[in-house]
C-alpha cells in the first residue's frame, strides 16, 4: 500500500520534474538488496554530453550462464533514487556479448549529476548493482571551467592500481576521466607472474590464444580469440579501485596498441619483427568486439536505449575518433592513432645494407655533399659475385638463428642480398668471414647513398633500428623523402577522413582545442654527438628513442599540428600517453602534456632493455647517458621540454579555463607499483608528489 506523500516530498518531486523531466518520486519502492555478486565488474558510465551519457554493466547469473537475462536500469537525481528521471525495464544482458550491456540515456540536463543502478529480479528478490554516479557536460555556451583526469597504460599483471587509489583519495570534482589507451595488455601472466593470485591473468581457453616466442625458451600467450580478450577485460575490471573510479566518474576512452597487439598498425601485429606475415584482421575484429562490449562509449551516435553491439562497425570499418563540447572553453578531440596509420618507415625485416636513397636521389635533394664520407659508400653487389655469396651465406646463418627454416632463409637471402648495398654493413661482414677471395670492398670512387644501417639498423629481424633507437638525422632525411614521394601517405598517421575532421574541429568556437593522442607528441631524443666517452665513435649520433610514436612521423606531426595551432588561434593542446613517463613540452609551438602510466614498466626500464639489446650494458657510457641520466639527456636533446619524469607512474589532472589550462601531475615512483597499499592509505598518500604547470597558447610554465 502506498504511503501518503508529505508536503516536503511533493515539493521535491515538483522541483525535480521541472529541472530534469523526472520520472517521479518513490517513497514506497520495494527494497533493493545488495546484488554486487551478480555484477562482478560493477558499473560504469562514459561519453558524457550535455544531454546524454552511456551507462554500462555486466550481469552474471551463474544459474543462467547461457541465457539472455532481463534487467532494469534506474537513473535518478539522488543516491537514494527518490527523484527518478528514468526507469527502463526489459533490458537484456546478452550471453552472446558476455552479458555486457550498454544503455544510452538521453534528454538529460546539462552539467547535472545523476545516479544509476541496474536491478535483477530473481526468485522474488530485487538485486541491485553498485550505485554509480555520472555527470553530463555543461551546455556549449556555458562560461565555466572544466576539470578532468588523464590516465593510460594500466598493466594488471603483478602490479597494483595505487594511482587509481590515490585519485579516489583526492576525491576531485571531475567532469570526466580521459583514458587514452592501453586499458589492457594483451598477454596473460606467463612472463609477469605474481605471488598474489589476485594480480594474475589467466585465459579460460588458452588453446585459442596465440603463443608468442620471447626467445631463450620463453613463451607467453597473447589474446587472439574473443574469449581471450574478454578474459582480460573481466580480470582488469575486477580491481576494486578501478571499479570505484568507474562508479564515480564518466570515462571518455580511446585505444592504443595493447587493446589489440603491441606496436600494431592497421590490423598488423609486430611480434615477429618481419619473420612472419602478421596481418591478423580476424584477431583485430575480436579485440574490437571485446573493447566495444566493455567500454561505455558511443561511437555510432546510437539512438536512446540499449546499444546494439552487433551493429557497431568493426575493422576495417571502425571509427572511434569523435569530439566532445564541454561548455564555452573546451572542445575535446579524441583521435585514433592505430587503425588508419601506415607501417613504420623502417621495416623490421629490412636488410641493413639495403640502400634506401641512392646517389641520384641524394643529388636531386642537394644532399650529395652532406653524405660524401666513405661511411656512405655503396656498390651494386651483383658485380661482386664472390662477396655476394659470402653475404648470402651470412644472411642464411643469421636468419636460421632467428627462427627461419633454411629453405626460407635461403629464399630471402636471394631477394635481400642483391643490388645496391652499403659498404658500412657489407665490409664488416666480409672481414668477419675472413675469406681471401671475398675480402672487403674499397669505398674509394664508389657512389654514396643512405642505407638502413645508417639509420641504426644492425640486425635482420629486430625492432632496434626500426621502431626503437633510430638515428635521428638520417631517419629525418629518409622520412622527409618518403613523405614527399608517397604523396604524404607514408606518414598519414590518422587517415584522410580523420585528419580532415580534426582540422575542421580545430577551428570551432570553443576557446581550447584539446587533442587526445594515444601516443606522445613530445620528441624523445638522445643526443650523444658530443659525448667523447661514448665508444665506439660511430655511436655518437642523435637518436629517437621510439619511432612508434609521433617521432616516427616527424613531417606529418609538424604539418598537422602547425595547421591545428593556426586554426585554433594558438589555443591548441595535446594530451597523450603510451610512453610510461611524464612530459610537458612545446612541440611546433603546440603545448604537449604526456601523462604517466597507471601501472606498467617505466620508460627508464624499457630504455635499459633496449640499449642492452643493442650491446651497451650497465657501466658503459651509452647506458649512463640514456638510462641512468635519461631525464637530463632528454632535456638536452629537446630544449622544448619543460618537465620530464621518466621513472614515475600516476595521472594528470587538468582544469581548462578561458585563459589558461592548469595541469597537475600526481606522481609515484614506478617501483611502488608492486606494493599493495590498499590497506595503507596514509602511506600511499606520502609516496605521491605533485608538479603543477600553467599552459597558455604556445607555452608551458611552472605554476
Amino acid at each position: 500500500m502506498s504511503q501518503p506523500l508529505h508536503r516536503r516530498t511533493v515539493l521535491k518531486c515538483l522541483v525535480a520534474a521541472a529541472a530534469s523531466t523526472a520520472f517521479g518520486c518513490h517513497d514506497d519502492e520495494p527494497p533493493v538488496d545488495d546484488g554486487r555478486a551478480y555484477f562482478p565488474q560493477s558499473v560504469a558510465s562514459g561519453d558524457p554530453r550535455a544531454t546524454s551519457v552511456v551507462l554500462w554493466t555486466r550481469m552474471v547469473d551463474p544459474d543462467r550462464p547461457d541465457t539472455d537475462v532481463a534487467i532494469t536500469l534506474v537513473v535518478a537525481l539522488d543516491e537514494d533514487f527518490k527523484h527518478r528521471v528514468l526507469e527502463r525495464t526489459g533490458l537484456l544482458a546478452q550471453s552472446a556479448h558476455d552479458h555486457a550491456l550498454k544503455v544510452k540515456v538521453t534528454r538529460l540536463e546539462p552539467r547535472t549529476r545523476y545516479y544509476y543502478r541496474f536491478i535483477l529480479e530473481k526468485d522474488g528478490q530485487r538485486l541491485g548493482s553498485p550505485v554509480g554516479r555520472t555527470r553530463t557536460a555543461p551546455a556549449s555556451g556555458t562560461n565555466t571551467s572544466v576539470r578532468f583526469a588523464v590516465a593510460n597504460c594500466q598493466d594488471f599483471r603483478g602490479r597494483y592500481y595505487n594511482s587509481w587509489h590515490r585519485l579516489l583519495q583526492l576525491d576531485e570534482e571531475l567532469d570526466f576521466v580521459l583514458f587514452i589507451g592501453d586499458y589492457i595488455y594483451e598477454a596473460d601472466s606467463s612472463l609477469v607472474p605474481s605471488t598474489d593470485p589476485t594480480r594474475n591473468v589467466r585465459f579460460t581457453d588458452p588453446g585459442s590464444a596465440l603463443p608468442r616466442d620471447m626467445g631463450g625458451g620463453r613463451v607467453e600467450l597473447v589474446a587472439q580469440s574473443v574469449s581471450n580478450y574478454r578474459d582480460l577485460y573481466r580480470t582488469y575490471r575486477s580491481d576494486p579501485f578501478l571499479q570505484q573510479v568507474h562508479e564515480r566518474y564518466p570515462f571518455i576512452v580511446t585505444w592504443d596498441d595493447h587493446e589489440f597487439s603491441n606496436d600494431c598498425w592497421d590490423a598488423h601485429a609486430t611480434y615477429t619483427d618481419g619473420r612472419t606475415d602478421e596481418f591478423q584482421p580476424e584477431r583485430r575484429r575480436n579485440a574490437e568486439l571485446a573493447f566495444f562490449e566493455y567500454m561505455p562509449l558511443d561511437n555510432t551516435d546510437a539512438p536512446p536505449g540499449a546499444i546494439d553491439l552487433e551493429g557497431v562497425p568493426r575493422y576495417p570499418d571502425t571509427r572511434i575518433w569523435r569530439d566532445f563540447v564541454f561548455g564555452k572553453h573546451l572542445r575535446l578531440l579524441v583521435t585514433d592513432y592505430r587503425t588508419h596509420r601506415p607501417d613504420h618507415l623502417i621495416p623490421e625485416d629490412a636488410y641493413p645494407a639495403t640502400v634506401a636513397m641512392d646517389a641520384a636521389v641524394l643529388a636531386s635533394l642537394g644532399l650529395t655533399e652532406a653524405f660524401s664520407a666513405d661511411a656512405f659508400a655503396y656498390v651494386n653487389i651483383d658485380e661482386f659475385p664472390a662477396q655476394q655469396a659470402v653475404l648470402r651465406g651470412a644472411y642464411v646463418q643469421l636468419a636460421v638463428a632467428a627462427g627461419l627454416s633454411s629453405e626460407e632463409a635461403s629464399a630471402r637471402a636471394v631477394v635481400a642480398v642483391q643490388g645496391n648495398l652499403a659498404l658500412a654493413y657489407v665490409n664488416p661482414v666480409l672481414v668477419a668471414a675472413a675469406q681471401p677471395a671475398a675480402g672487403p670492398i674499397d669505398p674509394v670512387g664508389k657512389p654514396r647513398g643512405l642505407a638502413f644501417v645508417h639509420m641504426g639498423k644492425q640486425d635482420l629481424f629486430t625492432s632496434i633500428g626500426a621502431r626503437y633507437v633510430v638515428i635521428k638525422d638520417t631517419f629525418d632525411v629518409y622520412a622527409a623523402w618518403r613523405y614527399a614521394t608517397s604523396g604524404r601517405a607514408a606518414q598519414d598517421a590518422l587517415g584522410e577522413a580523420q585528419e580532415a575532421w580534426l582540422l575542421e574541429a580545430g577551428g570551432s568556437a570553443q576557446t581550447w582545442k584539446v587533442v587526445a593522442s594515444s601516443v606522445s607528441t613530445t620528441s624523445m631524443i638522445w643526443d650523444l654527438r658530443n659525448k667523447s666517452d661514448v665508444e665506439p665513435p660511430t655511436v655518437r649520433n642523435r637518436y629517437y628513442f621510439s619511432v612508434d610514436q609521433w617521432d616516427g612521423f616527424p613531417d606529418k606531426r609538424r604539418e598537422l599540428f602547425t595547421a591545428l595551432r593556426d586554426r585554433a588561434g594558438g589555443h591548441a593542446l595535446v594530451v597523450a600517453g603510451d610512453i610510461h613517463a611524464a612530459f610537458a613540452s612545446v612541440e611546433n609551438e603546440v603545448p604537449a602534456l604526456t601523462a604517466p602510466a597507471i601501472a606498467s614498466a617505466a620508460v627508464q626500464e624499457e630504455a635499459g632493455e633496449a640499449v642492452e639489446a643493442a650491446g651497451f650494458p650497465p657501466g658503459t657510457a651509452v647506458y649512463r647517458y640514456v638510462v641512468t641520466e635519461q631525464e637530463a639527456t632528454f632535456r638536452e636533446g629537446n630544449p622544448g621540454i619543460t618537465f620530464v619524469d621518466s621513472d614515475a607512474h600516476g595521472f594528470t589532472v587538468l582544469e581548462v579555463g578561458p585563459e589558461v589550462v592548469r595541469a597537475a601531475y600526481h606522481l609515484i615512483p614506478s617501483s611502488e607499483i608492486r606494493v599493495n597499499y590498499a590497506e595503507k592509505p596514509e602511506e600511499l598518500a606520502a609516496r605521491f608528489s605533485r608538479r603543477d604547470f600553467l599552459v597558455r597558447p604556445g607555452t608551458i610554465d611552472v605554476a
Side-chain angles (χ1 to χ4, degrees):
M1 180 182 235
S2 298
Q3 298 178 348
L5 292 177
H6 296 292
R7 179 176 179 275
R8 182 176 297 176
T9 302
V10 171
L11 289 174
K12 285 183 178 179
C13 284
L14 291 174
V15 170
S20 62
T21 61
F23 183 86
C25 285
H26 294 257
D27 278 1
D28 59 346
E29 180 177 7
V32 177
D33 297 324
D34 182 4
R36 179 178 285 272
Y38 291 87
F39 299 89
Q41 281 71 39
S42 192
V43 298
S45 67
D47 278 15
R49 300 185 185 276
T51 60
S52 70
V53 71
V54 175
L55 305 179
W56 178 96
T57 195
R58 177 174 179 262
M59 197 290 304
V60 177
D61 185 349
D63 297 327
R64 294 176 285 178
D66 300 319
T67 304
D68 296 349
V69 180
I71 57 178
T72 297
L73 168 65
V74 181
V75 183
L77 288 168
D78 63 309
E79 198 168 5
D80 295 327
F81 292 90
K82 300 298 184 184
H83 308 131
R84 299 188 191 177
V85 299
L86 174 74
E87 180 173 324
R88 187 179 290 272
T89 62
L91 297 167
L92 291 181
Q94 298 180 351
S95 62
H97 292 292
D98 208 27
H99 291 102
L101 171 67
K102 296 195 296 189
V103 183
K104 185 175 180 179
V105 179
T106 60
R107 300 179 66 186
L108 301 176
E109 290 297 308
R111 201 65 176 282
T112 302
R113 177 174 291 175
Y114 293 94
Y115 296 85
Y116 63 96
R117 66 183 172 194
F118 295 86
I119 298 172
L120 167 68
E121 296 192 22
K122 182 178 182 181
D123 300 331
Q125 190 177 17
R126 303 178 79 225
L127 301 166
S129 70
V131 174
R133 78 181 194 192
T134 191
R135 191 180 193 183
T136 50
S140 60
T142 306
N143 184 12
T144 183
S145 296
V146 179
R147 290 173 60 81
F148 62 97
V150 182
N152 67 99
C153 299
Q154 55 176 16
D155 198 348
F156 181 93
R157 302 164 298 168
R159 300 168 170 92
Y160 296 95
Y161 289 166
N162 295 318
S163 295
W164 287 131
H165 186 179
R166 181 58 179 159
L167 181 62
L168 292 165
Q169 280 186 331
L170 295 173
D171 197 20
E172 297 267 9
E173 188 71 16
L174 302 177
D175 288 278
F176 59 94
V177 171
L178 175 63
F179 199 97
I180 45 179
D182 294 345
Y183 191 95
I184 60 168
Y185 283 70
E186 74 271 31
D188 73 353
S189 293
S190 302
L191 300 182
V192 193
S194 174
T195 55
D196 181 349
T198 68
R199 309 310 292 186
N200 281 317
V201 175
R202 293 286 181 262
F203 294 139
T204 55
D205 181 16
S208 66
L210 180 67
R212 181 187 179 191
D213 184 1
M214 302 297 290
R218 302 180 306 153
V219 176
E220 72 173 356
L221 295 178
V222 294
Q224 179 171 237
S225 65
V226 174
S227 168
N228 299 154
Y229 284 105
R230 287 172 175 166
D231 286 339
L232 290 164
Y233 286 101
R234 288 192 212 113
T235 304
Y236 280 53
R237 288 272 272 277
S238 70
D239 181 88
F241 294 116
L242 178 57
Q243 287 188 3
Q244 290 174 57
V245 175
H246 273 294
E247 291 165 8
R248 188 172 299 185
Y249 303 115
F251 271 51
I252 295 174
V253 301
T254 190
W255 54 39
D256 190 36
D257 52 346
H258 287 288
E259 284 88 353
F260 165 46
S261 191
N262 180 51
D263 287 356
C264 62
W265 58 279
D266 188 69
H268 297 260
T270 60
Y271 296 139
T272 65
D273 290 326
R275 293 189 300 273
T276 64
D277 180 5
E278 294 187 85
F279 180 53
Q280 300 167 344
E282 190 58 32
R283 181 178 174 227
R284 167 119 213 167
R285 288 171 58 80
N286 292 340
E288 290 184 3
L289 177 58
F291 177 87
F292 291 134
E293 288 172 340
Y294 275 82
M295 291 294 103
L297 84 164
D298 172 26
N299 64 315
T300 60
D301 194 21
I307 293 178
D308 176 18
L309 291 169
E310 289 293 335
V312 176
R314 288 183 283 152
Y315 180 85
D317 301 316
T318 315
R319 172 178 166 169
I320 65 166
W321 38 273
R322 59 209 192 280
D323 60 281
F324 299 83
V325 173
F326 284 83
K328 186 177 180 180
H329 302 302
L330 172 61
R331 183 138 186 186
L332 179 68
L333 310 173
V334 181
T335 64
D336 175 7
Y337 178 80
R338 293 292 172 182
T339 305
H340 310 284
R341 58 159 290 166
D343 194 0
H344 305 89
L345 289 174
I346 302 176
E348 291 87 349
D349 62 342
Y351 187 46
T354 299
V355 173
M357 300 172 68
D358 63 18
V361 169
L362 294 180
S364 70
L365 299 173
L367 296 174
T368 299
E369 184 62 28
F371 293 95
S372 61
D374 285 352
F376 298 101
Y378 68 89
V379 296
N380 181 348
I381 201 65
D382 298 338
E383 299 174 359
F384 298 82
Q387 284 86 350
Q388 185 178 49
V390 171
L391 292 168
R392 285 179 174 174
Y395 184 105
V396 170
Q397 185 178 2
L398 292 170
V400 169
L404 272 63
S405 68
S406 58
E407 293 79 8
E408 184 178 2
S410 298
R412 288 203 183 195
V414 171
V415 174
V417 187
Q418 64 173 326
N420 294 334
L421 300 182
L423 297 182
Y425 181 86
V426 165
N427 280 344
V429 174
L430 296 176
V431 169
Q435 295 190 22
I441 301 170
D442 188 350
V444 174
K446 303 302 189 292
R448 272 43 175 164
L450 190 59
F452 293 119
V453 68
H454 299 127
M455 302 176 216
K457 189 77 160 53
Q458 298 287 337
D459 297 313
L460 301 187
F461 308 105
T462 177
S463 63
I464 304 299
R467 302 196 306 273
Y468 299 94
V469 195
V470 171
I471 298 174
K472 178 186 186 303
D473 297 287
T474 46
F475 177 83
D476 284 349
V477 170
Y478 176 62
W481 175 69
R482 285 284 308 278
Y483 190 52
T485 57
S486 66
R488 302 182 178 181
Q491 298 186 37
D492 192 6
L494 302 182
E496 183 177 345
Q498 184 176 189
E499 183 174 327
W501 155 81
L502 181 67
L503 292 177
E504 180 181 1
S508 63
Q510 287 72 37
T511 305
W512 286 95
K513 268 62 75 170
V514 176
V515 178
S517 169
S518 67
V519 299
S520 182
T521 59
T522 295
S523 199
M524 299 172 62
I525 299 167
W526 301 334
D527 190 350
L528 306 182
R529 292 175 299 178
N530 298 316
K531 309 299 185 185
S532 59
D533 53 344
V534 166
E535 295 293 342
T538 53
V539 178
R540 297 173 193 165
N541 302 296
R542 286 195 297 178
Y543 297 87
Y544 287 127
F545 169 61
S546 170
V547 292
D548 181 61
Q549 62 177 32
W550 275 102
D551 272 344
F553 300 131
D555 303 282
K556 174 58 73 175
R557 173 177 55 191
R558 180 174 55 254
E559 175 192 276
L560 180 61
F561 288 103
T562 298
L564 180 66
R565 177 204 67 201
D566 293 343
R567 288 174 180 262
H571 286 81
L573 167 65
V574 180
V575 294
D578 176 62
I579 204 63
H580 307 170
F583 285 95
S585 71
V586 177
E587 309 291 332
N588 304 120
E589 300 183 43
V590 175
L593 304 176
T594 299
I598 291 291
S600 191
V603 70
Q604 196 168 57
E605 178 183 342
E606 294 179 330
E609 294 174 356
V611 297
E612 283 197 74
F616 300 98
T620 61
V622 170
Y623 191 94
R624 174 162 57 85
Y625 287 122
V626 304
V627 181
T628 310
E629 301 174 5
Q630 184 182 84
E631 293 175 7
T633 301
F634 278 143
R635 285 178 177 274
E636 183 180 346
N638 180 0
I641 293 175
T642 299
F643 166 68
V644 54
D645 191 323
S646 61
D647 193 31
H649 286 54
F651 54 90
T652 307
V653 175
L654 273 64
E655 181 176 343
V656 179
E659 302 297 332
V660 66
V661 176
R662 299 179 180 275
Y665 286 78
H666 296 266
L667 305 169
I668 186 172
S670 63
S671 58
E672 300 289 345
I673 61 171
R674 300 188 185 278
V675 180
N676 184 3
Y677 285 102
E679 304 300 326
K680 298 178 283 187
E682 295 83 7
E683 291 185 36
L684 175 66
R687 297 294 189 274
F688 268 86
S689 61
R690 174 172 168 167
R691 297 292 300 272
D692 289 271
F693 300 91
L694 300 177
V695 180
R696 298 182 178 87
T699 67
I700 299 176
D701 299 304
V702 176

